[in-house]
Amino acid sequence: MCGIVGYIGLPEKTSQHSALDVLLEGLRRLEYRGYDSAGVATVAAGTVSTRKKSGKLANLLAEIDAAPMEAASVGIGHTRWATHGAPTDQNAHPHLADGGKLAVIHNGIIENFAQLKAKLVAAGEEFSSQTDTEVAAKLIGQYFTGSAAGDLTEAMRLASSELEGAFTLLAVHADQPDRVVASRRNSPLVVGLGEGENFLGSDVSGFIDFTREAVELEQDQVVTITTEDVAIINFDGTEAEGKRFSVNWDAAAAEKGGFGTFMEKEIHDQPKAVEDTLLGRTDASGRLVLDELRIDPEELKSISKIIVLACGTSAYAGMVAKYAIEHWVRVPVEVELSHEFRYRDPIIDDSTLIVSLSQSGETMDTLMAVRYAKEQGARTLAICNTNGSTIPRESDAVLYTHAGPEIAVASTKAFLAQITASYLLGLYMAQLRGKLFQGEIEDILADLHKIPGKIQEVLDGGDQIRELAREMAQEPSVLFLGRHVGYPVAMEGALKLKEIAYIHAEGFAAGELKHGPIALIDQGQPVFVVVPSPHGRDSLHAKVVSNIQEVRARGARTITVAEAGDADVVDYSETVFYVPETQPLLMPLLTTVPLQIFACALAAEKGYDVDQPRNLAKSVTVE
Ligand code: F6R
């Protein structure tokens, strides 16, 4: 939530880049993190200049066109997802202090802002917004003009130590135009390293056009970037070093690549996302080797329970993981929404393995749940798509998905990559614990390696799905049913439709129908049914076919997603989308795809902004 970018380069004449260009390019790439308003501040000729505007980045660009800014080589930029205060021009960042000489932007929520504001008002500060950010700005300003005596780094450190909650703060000051200072607690921030220039971003996409070399920061740190240096200190004033890493994708990977929207592009990236996530995971003898895991294999052998923690789409990937891991490893797996987990006194000990699933690696609910589990003695493993992000950094082990940058707010390729990585984890644990024969593991892996080609087949047949989406654009409600691994797929199909097409949609376990939801079925009600493979447990397939008949008998319009050659569904479906055959447990990697295409096409048909749906942001960094 909120995208943050900072830049300092050599003075305008010699610099490769103008600060404004870098900031606006960074904001363009970070806009998926929040798009309620946007703003920039630059420092030139001893003055801080700001432009800010409610609405999307385009509004800010128009504002800058109308009132051009002076050339500058240092600045900060922000794209907002509102928490405190409505998304107005006034509440947009940056916020100013110290008589307009200090500009501050912020991501997160400052929990003690009301107490601090009361103190600052008593000290004579005046506020022009409803934001918690302005409180931070005024506090930094007070230190800058007081005990920190003109030292922005020290003012930031002292102010940050007083703040509670989650924040990334970036500041520039007219009296110290040679630096951008930032601090972070529980909110994302990475540094980008250049030649004679340095960058700050909520994530690396904020500066990927300019450098792929980056530095991770730890919790409770202040970083000062100048043209030549990156200096990090802890909130207690001690010096610290960041961990360097190189970004393994380039700017082109974060472009639309000829598609109309990022979501469409990312749906089409899925064969590669799965393929890359599988890449290099076996040794010459075909045994799985998960090098990045960093948990002693002996410990993994002694795990007595797994708890998967995640939110939203990632939690549905976790539900698929449960079916596969329990089946292959014979270890109980619980799947829990991160935000519910730590408030229910969960039973955890050192034989519990926490597996967190997060595309961004920054979801605050999941981060807090992982921290809680660690405190209780559990081992923690992150399945994550974002290098350098907080959740993997704070976990004992990490298994990276290699889906590449996911820009559309609605998650697609990260979901398939998370499922793929969960399968790898399950198979690896089964191998360690001797729960499957090596040949069985190799067979499953061989089938997994065929999945990218099969996803491509589904994509190639996308026109049939898009046509249906166009025809159904005016439907007020759509239901999704599934059983076994088809159940989380049904919920994911419903979530996609809710979040981008703003249609009421529900996903149900098909077996639950008769316990209530069947009452919703009326003449013409569209119902998608994710049909299990007829090659799996016989009874499962037969039961879902019965469910289709039950809803159809009550007037439903049935649309089925079934395995190629499944003739049993034809008589009871108005439309069938066939996906290629694979092992029953691997089916979600295929059956999800038509549902993604459907939601994407339907939202586009309704004229909605597919990539940036209302009220949402890509990375939920507040609880
Ligand atoms: C839905 C979606 C969200 C995320 C959820 C978790 O399309 O994108 O439901 O899956 O906010 O985000 P991560 O995976 O970044 O922790």
Side-chain angles (χ1 to χ4, degrees):
M1 316 219 126
C2 299
I4 273 189
V5 57
Y7 175 72
I8 184 148
L10 293 166
E12 194 59 16
K13 280 191 193 124
T14 50
S15 169
Q16 312 80 316
H17 309 117
S18 102
L20 191 60
D21 290 349
V22 175
L23 297 176
L24 293 178
E25 183 56 30
L27 292 184
R28 183 180 74 78
R29 291 199 180 274
L30 291 176
E31 198 181 12
Y32 67 94
R33 300 181 74 99
Y35 32 84
D36 291 338
S37 59
V40 289
T42 55
V43 189
T47 308
V48 168
S49 308
T50 61
R51 298 285 184 278
K52 54 188 197 174
K53 205 69 197 148
S54 60
K56 295 204 170 178
L57 184 60
N59 297 2
L60 174 69
L61 299 181
E63 175 82 357
I64 294 172
D65 269 353
M69 299 179 81
E70 208 176 311
S73 57
V74 55
I76 53 181
H78 187 263
T79 172
R80 178 168 189 242
W81 187 85
T83 55
H84 290 64
T88 59
D89 289 356
Q90 201 65 18
N91 288 331
H93 303 205
H95 290 280
L96 298 176
D98 192 11
K101 289 199 285 181
L102 170 69
V104 173
I105 55 175
H106 164 224
N107 172 26
I109 292 180
I110 296 166
E111 284 168 3
N112 57 338
F113 90 104
Q115 299 93 301
L116 291 170
K117 189 168 182 175
K119 272 199 334 203
L120 289 160
V121 168
E125 293 286 2
E126 285 177 10
F127 287 81
S128 54
S129 78
Q130 286 88 49
T131 64
D132 49 349
T133 309
E134 199 180 4
V135 173
K138 301 288 186 204
L139 191 62
I140 299 168
Q142 290 259 326
Y143 277 115
F144 189 86
T145 52
S147 55
D151 179 345
L152 189 56
T153 305
E154 184 62 1
M156 178 66 91
R157 184 184 79 77
L158 291 169
S160 298
S161 311
E162 266 194 62
L163 303 178
E164 287 166 16
F167 52 87
T168 300
L169 292 163
L170 261 64
V172 287
H173 198 291
D175 294 348
Q176 278 197 313
D178 64 339
R179 64 198 53 210
V180 181
V181 179
S183 78
R184 79 168 284 257
R185 167 181 288 165
N186 293 335
S187 264
L189 178 65
V190 278
V191 181
L193 303 174
E195 301 266 319
E197 57 184 352
N198 286 306
F199 307 80
L200 295 164
S202 300
D203 62 56
V204 293
S205 45
F207 46 73
I208 193 69
D209 291 273
F210 309 102
T211 180
R212 287 162 68 178
E213 294 306 305
V215 175
E216 301 179 0
L217 296 176
E218 295 293 331
Q219 199 55 291
D220 288 0
Q221 291 188 325
V222 174
V223 59
T224 303
I225 58 165
T226 61
T227 53
E228 298 306 326
D229 192 31
V230 172
I232 304 170
I233 54 170
N234 298 309
F235 281 4
D236 64 9
T238 53
E239 282 180 21
E241 285 223 6
K243 191 169 151 222
R244 260 187 92 139
F245 66 99
S246 298
V247 184
N248 59 4
W249 48 271
D250 61 15
E255 294 293 349
K256 288 183 194 154
F259 289 92
T261 61
F262 278 111
M263 185 172 175
E264 269 178 279
K265 185 236 176 201
E266 287 160 9
I267 290 171
H268 284 80
D269 280 348
Q270 292 185 116
K272 188 156 178 355
V274 172
E275 191 179 308
D276 288 354
T277 301
L278 290 172
L279 209 68
R281 307 291 195 180
T282 44
D283 65 15
S285 67
R287 285 179 70 78
L288 270 166
V289 274
L290 300 184
D291 283 343
E292 329 148 68
L293 266 191
R294 300 191 314 246
I295 290 188
D296 186 344
E298 286 310 309
E299 275 189 68
L300 277 182
K301 276 193 199 170
S302 64
I303 292 300
S304 64
K305 176 170 78 171
I306 294 176
I307 303 179
V308 178
L309 296 177
C311 301
T313 289
S314 298
Y316 298 146
M319 288 174 66
V320 175
K322 173 183 166 77
Y323 286 95
I325 296 176
E326 286 189 340
H327 183 74
W328 291 331
V329 192
R330 310 305 301 148
V331 166
V333 180
E334 293 169 19
V335 185
E336 182 106 21
L337 292 170
S338 314
H339 36 87
E340 288 296 319
F341 172 71
R342 71 191 169 117
Y343 299 107
R344 67 155 176 87
D345 210 2
I347 299 163
I348 313 169
D349 60 26
D350 58 8
S351 71
T352 309
L353 177 68
I354 297 290
V355 176
S356 63
L357 288 176
S358 177
Q359 186 288 128
S360 61
E362 300 292 350
T363 298
M364 185 57 80
D365 292 311
T366 303
L367 173 62
M368 289 303 175
V370 168
R371 282 190 188 155
Y372 175 81
K374 263 185 107 169
E375 280 160 25
Q376 309 298 308
R379 305 312 314 266
T380 54
L381 188 158
I383 293 181
C384 182
N385 196 44
T386 310
N387 221 297
S389 59
T390 309
I391 296 171
R393 204 172 51 240
E394 294 197 13
S395 300
D396 298 314
V398 58
L399 185 53
Y400 279 113
T401 50
H402 296 296
E406 193 178 64
I407 310 292
V409 164
S411 186
T412 53
K413 61 177 178 173
F415 178 66
L416 293 204
Q418 285 169 337
I419 294 174
T420 307
S422 306
Y423 291 151
L424 288 174
L425 176 66
L427 292 173
Y428 180 67
M429 288 185 72
Q431 174 182 286
L432 278 181
R433 297 160 77 111
K435 293 292 179 189
L436 290 175
F437 293 114
Q438 193 53 33
E440 290 176 296
I441 294 176
E442 282 168 19
D443 285 350
I444 300 169
L445 280 173
D447 283 342
L448 264 175
H449 280 284
K450 289 183 198 146
I451 291 284
K454 294 181 179 183
I455 298 175
Q456 192 55 53
E457 283 181 46
V458 181
L459 295 173
D460 293 345
D463 283 347
Q464 184 202 2
I465 307 162
R466 281 185 281 271
E467 202 175 301
L468 182 75
R470 277 192 288 273
E471 190 208 307
M472 284 178 57
Q474 299 316 318
E475 289 293 346
S477 150
V478 181
L479 304 181
F480 293 78
L481 301 178
R483 264 181 198 250
H484 190 250
V485 286
Y487 168 37
V489 171
M491 291 201 288
E492 172 60 3
L495 177 60
K496 287 287 94 82
L497 210 52
K498 283 184 239 197
E499 65 182 331
I500 61 167
Y502 317 146
I503 288 183
H504 170 256
E506 296 288 338
F508 298 108
E512 202 49 23
L513 257 188
K514 294 192 270 296
H515 302 281
I518 200 161
L520 290 169
I521 308 294
D522 202 353
Q523 202 56 40
Q525 168 68 51
V527 180
F528 276 78
V529 186
V530 182
V531 185
S533 165
H535 305 296
R537 287 178 191 151
D538 258 2
S539 55
L540 200 63
H541 179 261
K543 287 217 163 64
V544 173
V545 174
S546 301
N547 295 142
I548 305 171
Q549 293 177 52
E550 286 157 10
V551 291
R552 198 173 156 89
R554 286 159 180 84
R557 171 182 184 177
T558 49
I559 302 134
T560 50
V561 180
E563 189 174 286
D566 183 348
D568 297 343
V569 296
V570 176
D571 287 346
Y572 313 112
S573 315
E574 269 186 54
T575 312
V576 188
F577 297 128
Y578 281 118
V579 299
E581 201 178 316
T582 188
Q583 303 208 6
L585 276 169
L586 309 188
M587 287 281 282
L589 293 175
L590 302 175
T591 50
T592 307
V593 181
L595 306 186
Q596 298 168 331
I597 298 174
F598 178 76
C600 186
L602 196 143
E605 179 67 18
K606 294 185 89 152
Y608 294 146
D609 186 337
V610 169
D611 290 333
Q612 297 181 343
R614 69 186 180 202
N615 304 337
L616 290 170
K618 182 71 182 162
S619 180
V620 184
T621 53
V622 292
E623 273 183 285

